[in-house]
Amino acid sequence: MNAKDIKAVSEMKAELTAPPFVPKSTADREATKLKVDMEILEETGEMADGVEYVYWTFGGSVPGSFIRTKVGDEVEFTLKNHPDNKLPHNIDLHAVNGPGGGAASSFVAPGHEITFSFKTLNPGLYVYHCATAPVGMHIANGMYGLILVEPEEGLAPVDREYYVMQGDFYTKGEFGEQGEQPFDMQKAIDEDADYVVFNGSVGALTGDGALQAKVGETIRLFVGNGGPNLVSSFHAIGEIFDRVHVEGGDLINENVQTTLIPAGGAAIVEFEVDVPGELVLVDHSIFRAFNKGALAMINVTGEEDKDVFAGTIQEGIYLPEGGTIQSMPSDDEDDAKEETAAVELSKAEKMELGKKVYGSTCFACHQADGQGIENAFPPLANADYLNDDVNRAIDIVLRGKSGEITVNGKTYNSVMTAQNLTDKEVAAVMTYIYNSWDNNGTEVTEEMVRKVRKK
Amino acid sequence: MFSKILSIVVIMFFSLISFGQKESMALIEGGTYIPLYGSDSMPVNVVDFKIDKYPVTNAEFKEFLEENPKWRKSNVIALFADGNYMRHFKNDTELKEGELQNAPMTNVSWFAAKKYCECQGKRLPTLDEWEYVGMASEKRADARTKDEYNKFILSWYEKPNSYNQEIGSTFKNYWGVYDMHGLVWEWTQDFNSVLISGESRKDVDGSNDLFCGGAAVGSSDLMNYAAFMRYAFRGSIKANYSVRNLGFRCAKSINKPNQ
Ligand SMILES: [Cu+2]
C-alpha cells in the first residue's frame, strides 16, 4: 500500500526521550495521529568540566528529544518557544516532504507556540534542526536531533537501542579553557572547531554516562550528526558494525569498520557485542576524539570468550592522548613554559583545578578513577610506582616516559607523551592524584615542579 | 491669589517635566545608511529626530497605567495584547517579587507601546531610525565594521535572561543613547516591514548574498549575522504579542519651523 493511503486510525501522544534513550518500537501499533509536543529552551550547560556554554535546545537536551514515528503516521507537531527565551526559532524536519521541512510554518516567537502537521511517507532515520537566521548559529548552539520513521513492520527487535549524535562547537576560548565560553562566529565560519562531541558535551557518554550492554546482546545505535560543519567518520574501537543502514535509508551494508555520517545526516548501526570490556565510540578523524571530545564508551559486562578475544593484545594502534598538546618524551632542558609569577594555590584550590586538568588531560588514558587500562596505561590509583617517588612522577608528566616500568606488580612498556602544562597545573594535578584513590596524600608545590623542570 | 500661586506652581511643574523630557531624549543627526538586510540594499535617508536615551521602565509604564486604566492587564482587549501581557506583574499595579522598578518594561504589546509614546507626545521610532541609532558604538556613529562591536551584539543575542537589569547598565553610544544592545529587544513602528518568513534560507535568495556570495569572510559577515537576528526576531512577532525580552523606547520628529 502507498504510504499516502494509510489511514491513521487512532490518536496518541508521542513519547519523547532525551539522549541516549529512544522511545519504544512502533512495531505493535497501527499508523496513528501522533501528537508531538516539543519545547525550545535556551539554557546554560556544561561543555566540559568547568566550561560553561549557553545551549539552545529542543526539549532541554543536546541533541533534542528523539521522536519515533512510523510510516503513515499523521504527526501533529506543536512547537513551544519558552517565554524567557530571547530568540525566535523553528524546526526543519528532514522527514517531511514539503517546503522547508516545516520551517516556514513553525516559525515561533518567544512565549508562543505553533502547531503544524505532516504525514510520514518515507521510512528512515532523519535529522531535524532549527533553520532560523543565522541557521549555522542555531545549529552550532545545539538545535538538532533525530526523528525515526519506522517501516510498517517496525525495525527488527534488538536487545538495546541508544541515541548518539555528534556535533561540533565553537567557543571563544580554546578547548578546556575554564569559565563561561561564548559562541565564536568567526571560528564557526572558519570551521575551526574547539569541541567535537557526542551528545552535547565532553564526557556525556563516558564514566557514569557510559552506555551499558551485556555480552551476547545486539545493540542498535541511532547515530546522527548535527554538524554544523564536520562530517563524522563514525567508528567503534574494538567492534565491527554487523549492519549499517547507510545514511539512515533502506540500503544495508554489512561488516563495516567506519561509516561516514554527513552533517545533517544519520545512520543506524547494529552489532552484537562479543566480549566484555569497554568499547570506545569515536569520530575516527582521530584528533577530534582525543583532543576535542568525540569519544563515548559502551560498558560491556559478562563472561569472557577467549575464542573471540584472547585479551593479551591491546588496542595498540590508539594511543589516546589527553586534550593538552602532546609532544614526544624529551630530555630538552629549556622548553620550560613561561610562568607568570603568581601566588601558590591553596590545597583546596589545587584539588579543584587538578580535578579539571585530570579530566581534560589524563583521563583518556588513566581513566576516570585512576584505574588505568591493563597492559596499556598503568594505574594511578593506589599505585606503588607513583607513591614511591614524587619527583620521578613529576618528571614523567613534564617530560613523558617510555620503556618498561612495573606498577603494582604488572609491567608496562609503552609511551606516555610529555604533557604541555604550566607549573601551576602540574602541581594541581599531582596534588589531586596524590590525594585521591588511596594514594599517600603528598601535596605537590609549584616549587617542586620548577625544580624538576630545571633538572 | 491662592489659585494664582497654584497655577504658577503647576506651570513650573509642567515646564520642569517638559524640560526633563528634553533632557531625556537625544538628538540624532540624520544621514543616509544602507540597511543591512532587506528586499534591496538601497541607501535610506534618515532625517534628524530625537529618541529616548533609555528604554521605558517598569515604573514609568506603571504611571501610564494609572492614567490609562484601559491598558491595565485586567482591562486590555485581547486584540491589543496577548496572554503574556504584563506577565511580570502580580496584578495591575505591582511587579512580581524580584522585578526591578528601573528595569526596562517588557511583556508589552506593540499597541500598548505605541499608545504609551503617544500619551507622551511621542511616537515609536521607525525601523530605519532604530537601526540608524543602533549602528553606533561608544565612539563612532557607525561601528558596524568593527569586529568587537559585532561580537558584543552577537554574544548578547546568545545570552538568556538579560531583561531584569536596570536601564543604563550597558554602554552609552555616540549619540548619548543607552542600551540599544545588550538589554532587551525593542519595538519599532514598522517592525515587520521587512518580512522574514522563518524559512531563512529562502529569505536569503535573491538580492541579498549573505550566505551565497562573498568568498572573503570578515566583519561584514559578522555584522550581517547580528542584523539578521534582529530582523528574524521582528519577523516572528505580531503587534499583539508580549515578549519577556522585548521592550521599547519612544522617538519624536523635529518640526522645523521653516518646513
Ligand atoms: Cu533556533
Coordinates of all heavy atoms in Angstrom, one line a residue, chain A residues 306-386:
Chain A
K306 N 37.3 -16.4 25.2 CA 38.7 -16.4 24.8 C 38.9 -16.7 23.3 O 39.9 -16.3 22.7 CB 39.6 -17.4 25.6 CG 39.6 -17.1 27.1 CD 40.6 -16.0 27.4 CE 40.7 -15.8 28.9 NZ 41.2 -14.5 29.3
D307 N 37.9 -17.3 22.7 CA 38.0 -17.6 21.3 C 37.9 -16.4 20.5 O 38.5 -16.2 19.4 CB 36.9 -18.6 20.8 CG 37.1 -20.0 21.4 OD1 38.3 -20.2 21.8 OD2 36.2 -20.8 21.4
V308 N 37.0 -15.5 20.9 CA 36.8 -14.2 20.2 C 37.9 -13.2 20.5 O 38.5 -12.6 19.6 CB 35.5 -13.6 20.6 CG1 35.3 -12.3 19.8 CG2 34.3 -14.6 20.3
F309 N 38.3 -13.2 21.7 CA 39.3 -12.2 22.1 C 40.2 -12.7 23.2 O 39.7 -13.0 24.3 CB 38.6 -10.9 22.5 CG 39.6 -9.8 22.8 CD1 40.3 -9.2 21.7 CD2 39.8 -9.3 24.1 CE1 41.2 -8.2 22.0 CE2 40.6 -8.3 24.3 CZ 41.4 -7.7 23.3
A310 N 41.5 -12.9 23.0 CA 42.3 -13.5 24.0 C 42.7 -12.6 25.1 O 43.1 -13.0 26.2 CB 43.5 -14.1 23.3
G311 N 42.6 -11.3 24.9 CA 42.8 -10.3 25.9 C 44.3 -9.9 26.1 O 44.6 -9.0 26.9
T312 N 45.2 -10.6 25.4 CA 46.6 -10.2 25.6 C 47.0 -9.1 24.7 O 47.9 -8.3 25.0 CB 47.5 -11.4 25.3 OG1 47.1 -12.0 24.1 CG2 47.4 -12.4 26.4
I313 N 46.3 -9.0 23.6 CA 46.6 -7.9 22.6 C 45.7 -6.7 22.9 O 44.5 -6.8 23.0 CB 46.4 -8.4 21.2 CG1 47.0 -9.8 21.0 CG2 46.9 -7.4 20.2 CD1 46.4 -10.5 19.9
Q314 N 46.4 -5.6 23.1 CA 45.6 -4.4 23.4 C 45.3 -3.6 22.2 O 45.9 -3.9 21.1 CB 46.3 -3.6 24.5 CG 45.8 -3.9 25.9 CD 44.4 -3.3 26.2 OE1 44.0 -2.4 25.5 NE2 43.7 -3.9 27.1
E315 N 44.5 -2.7 22.3 CA 44.3 -1.7 21.2 C 45.5 -0.9 21.1 O 45.6 0.2 21.5 CB 43.1 -0.8 21.5 CG 41.8 -1.4 21.2 CD 41.6 -1.4 19.7 OE1 42.1 -0.6 19.0 OE2 40.9 -2.4 19.2
G316 N 46.5 -1.5 20.4 CA 47.8 -0.8 20.3 C 47.9 0.4 19.4 O 48.7 1.2 19.6
I317 N 47.0 0.4 18.5 CA 47.1 1.4 17.4 C 46.7 2.8 18.0 O 47.2 3.8 17.6 CB 46.1 1.2 16.3 CG1 46.0 -0.4 16.1 CG2 46.6 1.8 15.0 CD1 44.7 -0.8 15.4
Y318 N 45.8 2.7 19.0 CA 45.3 4.0 19.5 C 46.1 4.4 20.8 O 46.1 3.7 21.7 CB 43.8 3.9 19.8 CG 43.1 3.6 18.6 CD1 42.7 2.4 18.3 CD2 42.8 4.7 17.7 CE1 42.0 2.1 17.1 CE2 42.1 4.4 16.6 CZ 41.7 3.2 16.3 OH 41.1 2.9 15.1
L319 N 46.8 5.5 20.7 CA 47.4 6.0 21.9 C 46.6 7.1 22.3 O 46.9 8.3 21.9 CB 48.8 6.4 21.6 CG 50.0 5.5 22.1 CD1 51.3 6.2 22.0 CD2 49.7 5.1 23.5
P320 N 45.6 6.9 23.1 CA 44.7 8.0 23.4 C 45.5 9.1 24.1 O 46.2 8.8 25.1 CB 43.6 7.4 24.3 CG 43.7 6.0 24.1 CD 45.2 5.7 23.8
E321 N 45.4 10.3 23.6 CA 46.1 11.4 24.2 C 45.0 12.3 24.9 O 43.9 12.3 24.6 CB 46.8 12.2 23.2 CG 47.9 11.5 22.5 CD 47.9 11.7 21.1 OE1 48.5 12.7 20.6 OE2 47.4 10.9 20.3
G322 N 45.5 13.0 25.9 CA 44.6 13.9 26.6 C 44.3 15.1 25.7 O 44.8 15.2 24.6
G323 N 43.6 16.1 26.2 CA 43.3 17.3 25.5 C 44.5 18.3 25.3 O 44.5 19.1 24.4
T324 N 45.5 18.1 26.1 CA 46.6 19.0 26.1 C 47.5 18.7 24.9 O 47.5 17.5 24.5 CB 47.4 18.9 27.4 OG1 46.6 19.3 28.4 CG2 48.7 19.8 27.3
I325 N 48.1 19.7 24.3 CA 49.0 19.4 23.2 C 50.1 18.5 23.6 O 50.7 18.7 24.7 CB 49.6 20.8 22.6 CG1 48.4 21.6 22.0 CG2 50.7 20.5 21.6 CD1 48.8 23.0 21.7
Q326 N 50.4 17.5 22.8 CA 51.3 16.5 23.3 C 52.7 16.7 22.6 O 52.7 17.2 21.4 CB 50.8 15.1 22.9 CG 49.4 14.8 23.2 CD 49.1 14.5 24.6 OE1 49.9 13.8 25.2 NE2 48.1 15.1 25.2
S327 N 53.7 16.3 23.2 CA 55.0 16.2 22.5 C 55.7 14.9 22.9 O 55.4 14.4 24.0 CB 55.9 17.4 22.7 OG 56.0 17.6 24.1
M328 N 56.6 14.4 22.1 CA 57.2 13.1 22.5 C 58.1 13.3 23.7 O 58.5 14.4 23.9 CB 58.0 12.6 21.3 CG 57.1 12.1 20.1 SD 55.7 11.0 20.7 CE 56.6 9.5 20.8
P329 N 58.4 12.2 24.4 CA 59.3 12.4 25.6 C 60.6 13.1 25.2 O 61.1 12.8 24.1 CB 59.6 10.9 26.0 CG 58.4 10.1 25.4 CD 58.0 10.8 24.2
S330 N 61.1 13.9 26.0 CA 62.3 14.6 25.6 C 63.2 14.9 26.8 O 62.8 14.8 28.0 CB 62.0 16.0 25.0 OG 61.9 17.0 26.0
D331 N 64.5 15.1 26.6 CA 65.4 15.5 27.6 C 65.7 17.0 27.6 O 66.6 17.5 28.2 CB 66.7 14.7 27.5 CG 66.4 13.2 27.5 OD1 65.6 12.8 28.4 OD2 66.9 12.5 26.7
D332 N 65.0 17.6 26.7 CA 65.3 19.0 26.5 C 65.2 19.8 27.7 O 64.2 19.7 28.5 CB 64.3 19.6 25.4 CG 64.8 20.7 24.7 OD1 65.8 21.3 25.1 OD2 64.2 21.1 23.6
E333 N 66.2 20.7 28.0 CA 66.2 21.4 29.3 C 65.4 22.7 29.2 O 64.9 23.2 30.2 CB 67.6 21.6 29.7 CG 68.1 20.4 30.5 CD 69.6 20.4 30.5 OE1 70.2 21.5 30.5 OE2 70.2 19.3 30.4
D334 N 65.5 23.3 28.0 CA 64.9 24.7 28.0 C 63.6 24.9 27.4 O 63.2 25.9 26.9 CB 65.9 25.7 27.4 CG 66.5 25.2 26.1 OD1 65.8 24.4 25.4 OD2 67.7 25.4 25.9
D335 N 62.8 23.8 27.4 CA 61.4 24.0 26.8 C 60.4 24.3 28.0 O 59.2 24.0 27.8 CB 61.0 22.9 25.9 CG 60.9 21.6 26.6 OD1 61.2 21.5 27.8 OD2 60.5 20.6 25.9
A336 N 61.0 24.7 29.1 CA 60.1 25.1 30.2 C 59.1 26.2 29.8 O 59.5 27.1 29.1 CB 60.9 25.5 31.4
K337 N 57.9 26.0 30.2 CA 56.9 27.0 29.9 C 57.1 28.3 30.7 O 57.4 28.3 31.8 CB 55.5 26.5 30.2 CG 54.8 26.1 28.9 CD 53.4 25.8 29.2 CE 52.5 26.3 28.1 NZ 51.1 25.9 28.3
E338 N 56.9 29.4 30.0 CA 57.0 30.7 30.7 C 55.9 30.7 31.8 O 54.8 30.3 31.7 CB 56.6 31.8 29.7 CG 57.7 32.2 28.8 CD 58.9 32.9 29.5 OE1 58.6 33.6 30.4 OE2 60.0 32.7 29.0
E339 N 56.3 31.2 33.0 CA 55.4 31.1 34.1 C 55.3 32.6 34.6 O 56.3 33.2 35.0 CB 55.9 30.2 35.2 CG 55.0 29.9 36.3 CD 53.9 28.9 35.8 OE1 53.8 28.5 34.7 OE2 53.2 28.4 36.7
T340 N 54.1 33.1 34.7 CA 53.9 34.4 35.3 C 53.9 34.2 36.8 O 53.2 33.3 37.3 CB 52.6 35.1 34.9 OG1 51.6 34.0 34.8 CG2 52.8 35.7 33.5
A341 N 54.7 35.0 37.5 CA 54.8 34.8 38.9 C 53.4 35.0 39.6 O 52.7 35.9 39.3 CB 55.8 35.9 39.5
A342 N 53.0 34.0 40.3 CA 51.7 34.1 40.9 C 51.8 33.4 42.3 O 52.7 32.7 42.6 CB 50.7 33.4 40.0
V343 N 50.8 33.7 43.1 CA 50.7 33.0 44.4 C 50.4 31.6 44.3 O 49.6 31.2 43.4 CB 49.7 33.7 45.3 CG1 50.3 34.8 46.2 CG2 48.5 34.3 44.5
E344 N 51.0 30.8 45.1 CA 50.7 29.4 45.2 C 49.2 29.2 45.6 O 48.7 29.9 46.4 CB 51.6 28.8 46.3 CG 51.4 27.3 46.5 CD 52.3 26.5 45.6 OE1 53.3 27.0 45.0 OE2 52.1 25.3 45.4
L345 N 48.6 28.2 44.9 CA 47.2 27.9 45.3 C 47.1 27.2 46.6 O 48.0 26.5 47.0 CB 46.6 27.0 44.2 CG 46.5 27.5 42.8 CD1 45.9 26.5 41.8 CD2 45.6 28.8 42.7
S346 N 46.0 27.3 47.3 CA 45.7 26.5 48.5 C 45.5 25.1 48.1 O 45.3 24.8 46.9 CB 44.5 27.0 49.2 OG 43.4 26.7 48.5
K347 N 45.6 24.2 49.0 CA 45.4 22.8 48.7 C 44.0 22.5 48.1 O 43.8 21.8 47.1 CB 45.6 21.9 49.9 CG 45.6 20.4 49.6 CD 46.1 19.6 50.7 CE 45.9 18.1 50.4 NZ 46.2 17.2 51.5
A348 N 43.0 23.2 48.7 CA 41.6 23.0 48.2 C 41.5 23.5 46.7 O 40.9 22.8 45.9 CB 40.6 23.7 49.0
E349 N 42.2 24.6 46.4 CA 42.2 25.1 45.1 C 42.9 24.2 44.1 O 42.5 24.0 43.0 CB 42.8 26.5 45.0 CG 41.9 27.6 45.6 CD 42.7 28.9 45.8 OE1 43.9 28.9 46.0 OE2 42.1 30.0 45.8
K350 N 44.0 23.6 44.6 CA 44.7 22.7 43.8 C 43.9 21.5 43.4 O 43.9 21.0 42.3 CB 46.0 22.2 44.5 CG 47.1 23.2 44.4 CD 48.4 22.6 45.1 CE 49.4 23.7 45.3 NZ 50.4 23.2 46.2
M351 N 43.1 21.0 44.5 CA 42.3 19.8 44.2 C 41.3 20.1 43.2 O 41.0 19.3 42.3 CB 41.6 19.4 45.5 CG 42.5 18.8 46.6 SD 43.3 17.3 46.1 CE 42.0 16.1 46.2
E352 N 40.7 21.4 43.2 CA 39.7 21.7 42.3 C 40.3 21.8 40.9 O 39.7 21.2 39.9 CB 39.1 23.0 42.7 CG 37.7 23.3 42.0 CD 37.2 24.7 42.5 OE1 37.4 25.1 43.7 OE2 36.6 25.4 41.6
L353 N 41.3 22.6 40.7 CA 42.0 22.8 39.4 C 42.5 21.4 38.9 O 42.3 21.1 37.8 CB 43.1 23.8 39.5 CG 43.9 24.0 38.2 CD1 43.0 24.5 37.1 CD2 45.1 24.9 38.4
G354 N 43.1 20.7 39.9 CA 43.7 19.4 39.5 C 42.7 18.4 38.9 O 42.9 17.7 38.0
K355 N 41.5 18.4 39.5 CA 40.4 17.6 39.0 C 40.1 17.9 37.6 O 39.9 17.0 36.7 CB 39.2 17.7 39.9 CG 38.0 16.8 39.5 CD 37.1 16.7 40.7 CE 36.0 15.6 40.4 NZ 34.8 16.0 40.0
K356 N 40.0 19.2 37.3 CA 39.7 19.6 35.9 C 40.8 19.3 34.9 O 40.6 18.8 33.8 CB 39.5 21.2 35.9 CG 38.2 21.5 36.5 CD 38.0 23.0 36.6 CE 36.7 23.3 37.3 NZ 36.6 24.6 37.9
V357 N 42.1 19.5 35.3 CA 43.2 19.2 34.5 C 43.2 17.7 34.2 O 43.3 17.2 33.1 CB 44.5 19.6 35.1 CG1 45.7 19.1 34.3 CG2 44.6 21.1 35.2
Y358 N 42.9 16.9 35.3 CA 42.9 15.5 35.1 C 41.8 15.1 34.1 O 42.0 14.3 33.2 CB 42.6 14.8 36.5 CG 42.7 13.3 36.4 CD1 44.0 12.6 36.5 CD2 41.6 12.5 36.1 CE1 44.1 11.3 36.3 CE2 41.8 11.1 36.0 CZ 43.0 10.5 36.0 OH 43.2 9.1 35.9
G359 N 40.6 15.7 34.3 CA 39.5 15.4 33.4 C 39.8 15.7 32.0 O 39.3 15.0 31.1
S360 N 40.5 16.8 31.7 CA 40.7 17.1 30.3 C 42.0 16.6 29.8 O 42.2 16.6 28.6 CB 40.7 18.7 30.2 OG 41.7 19.3 30.9
T361 N 42.9 16.1 30.6 CA 44.3 15.8 30.1 C 44.6 14.3 30.3 O 45.1 13.6 29.4 CB 45.3 16.7 30.7 OG1 45.0 18.0 30.6 CG2 46.7 16.4 30.1
C362 N 44.4 13.8 31.5 CA 45.0 12.5 31.8 C 43.9 11.4 31.7 O 44.2 10.2 31.5 CB 45.5 12.4 33.3 SG 46.2 14.0 33.8
F363 N 42.7 11.8 31.9 CA 41.5 10.9 32.0 C 41.5 9.9 30.8 O 41.2 8.7 31.0 CB 40.2 11.8 32.0 CG 39.0 11.1 31.6 CD1 38.2 10.5 32.6 CD2 38.5 11.1 30.3 CE1 37.1 9.8 32.3 CE2 37.3 10.4 30.0 CZ 36.6 9.8 31.0
A364 N 41.7 10.4 29.6 CA 41.6 9.5 28.4 C 42.4 8.2 28.5 O 42.1 7.2 28.1 CB 42.0 10.2 27.1
C365 N 43.6 8.3 29.2 CA 44.5 7.2 29.3 C 44.3 6.5 30.7 O 44.1 5.3 30.8 CB 45.9 7.6 29.1 SG 46.2 8.2 27.5
H366 N 44.4 7.3 31.7 CA 44.5 6.7 33.0 C 43.1 6.4 33.6 O 43.0 5.9 34.7 CB 45.3 7.5 34.0 CG 46.8 7.6 33.6 ND1 47.6 6.5 33.9 CD2 47.5 8.5 33.1 CE1 48.8 6.8 33.4 NE2 48.8 8.0 32.9
Q367 N 42.0 6.8 32.9 CA 40.6 6.5 33.2 C 40.1 7.3 34.5 O 40.9 7.9 35.2 CB 40.5 5.0 33.5 CG 40.9 4.2 32.3 CD 40.0 4.4 31.0 OE1 38.8 4.2 31.0 NE2 40.6 4.9 30.0
A368 N 38.8 7.3 34.6 CA 38.1 8.1 35.5 C 38.6 8.0 36.9 O 38.8 9.0 37.6 CB 36.6 7.9 35.4
D369 N 38.7 6.8 37.4 CA 39.1 6.7 38.8 C 40.6 6.2 38.9 O 41.0 5.6 39.9 CB 38.2 5.6 39.5 CG 36.8 6.1 39.5 OD1 36.6 7.3 39.9 OD2 35.9 5.3 39.2
G370 N 41.4 6.6 38.0 CA 42.8 6.3 38.0 C 43.1 4.9 37.9 O 44.3 4.5 38.2
Q371 N 42.2 4.1 37.5 CA 42.4 2.6 37.5 C 43.3 2.2 36.3 O 43.7 1.1 36.2 CB 41.1 1.8 37.5 CG 40.3 1.8 36.2 CD 39.3 3.0 36.1 OE1 39.6 4.1 36.6 NE2 38.2 2.8 35.4
G372 N 43.4 3.1 35.2 CA 44.2 2.7 34.1 C 43.5 1.6 33.2 O 42.4 1.3 33.5
I373 N 44.3 1.1 32.2 CA 43.8 0.0 31.4 C 44.9 -1.0 31.4 O 46.0 -0.7 31.0 CB 43.4 0.5 30.0 CG1 42.2 1.4 30.1 CG2 43.2 -0.7 29.1 CD1 41.7 1.9 28.7
E374 N 44.6 -2.2 31.8 CA 45.6 -3.2 31.9 C 46.4 -3.4 30.6 O 45.8 -3.3 29.5 CB 44.9 -4.6 32.3 CG 45.6 -5.3 33.4 CD 44.9 -6.6 33.8 OE1 44.0 -6.5 34.6 OE2 45.3 -7.6 33.2
N375 N 47.6 -3.6 30.8 CA 48.6 -3.8 29.6 C 48.8 -2.5 28.8 O 49.7 -2.5 27.9 CB 48.1 -4.9 28.7 CG 47.9 -6.2 29.4 OD1 48.8 -6.5 30.3 ND2 46.9 -6.9 29.1
A376 N 48.1 -1.5 29.0 CA 48.3 -0.3 28.2 C 48.7 1.0 29.0 O 49.7 1.5 28.9 CB 47.1 0.0 27.4
F377 N 47.8 1.3 29.9 CA 48.0 2.5 30.7 C 48.1 2.1 32.2 O 47.1 1.6 32.8 CB 46.9 3.5 30.5 CG 46.8 3.8 29.0 CD1 45.6 3.5 28.4 CD2 47.8 4.3 28.3 CE1 45.5 3.8 27.0 CE2 47.7 4.6 26.9 CZ 46.5 4.3 26.3
P378 N 49.2 2.4 32.9 CA 49.3 2.0 34.3 C 48.3 2.7 35.2 O 47.9 3.8 34.9 CB 50.7 2.3 34.7 CG 51.1 3.4 33.7 CD 50.4 3.1 32.4
P379 N 47.9 2.1 36.3 CA 47.0 2.8 37.2 C 47.7 3.9 38.0 O 48.9 3.9 38.2 CB 46.6 1.6 38.2 CG 47.8 0.7 38.2 CD 48.3 0.8 36.8
L380 N 46.9 4.9 38.3 CA 47.4 5.9 39.2 C 46.7 5.8 40.6 O 47.1 6.4 41.6 CB 47.1 7.3 38.7 CG 47.7 7.7 37.3 CD1 47.3 9.0 36.8 CD2 49.3 7.6 37.4
A381 N 45.7 4.9 40.7 CA 45.0 4.7 41.9 C 45.9 3.7 42.7 O 46.3 2.6 42.2 CB 43.6 4.1 41.6
N382 N 46.1 4.0 44.0 CA 46.8 3.2 44.9 C 48.1 2.6 44.2 O 48.3 1.4 44.3 CB 45.9 2.1 45.4 CG 46.5 1.3 46.6 OD1 47.5 1.8 47.1 ND2 45.8 0.3 47.0
A383 N 48.8 3.4 43.5 CA 49.9 3.0 42.7 C 51.3 3.1 43.4 O 51.7 4.2 43.8 CB 50.0 3.8 41.4
D384 N 52.0 1.9 43.6 CA 53.2 2.0 44.3 C 54.3 2.8 43.6 O 55.0 3.6 44.2 CB 53.7 0.5 44.6 CG 53.9 -0.3 43.3 OD1 53.6 0.3 42.2 OD2 54.2 -1.5 43.4
Y385 N 54.3 2.7 42.3 CA 55.3 3.4 41.5 C 55.1 5.0 41.7 O 56.1 5.7 41.9 CB 55.1 3.1 40.0 CG 56.2 3.6 39.1 CD1 57.3 2.8 38.8 CD2 56.1 4.9 38.5 CE1 58.3 3.3 38.0 CE2 57.1 5.3 37.6 CZ 58.2 4.5 37.4 OH 59.2 5.0 36.5
L386 N 53.9 5.4 41.7 CA 53.6 6.8 42.0 C 54.0 7.2 43.4 O 54.7 8.2 43.6 CB 52.1 7.0 41.8 CG 51.5 8.4 42.1 CD1 51.9 9.4 41.0 CD2 50.0 8.4 42.2

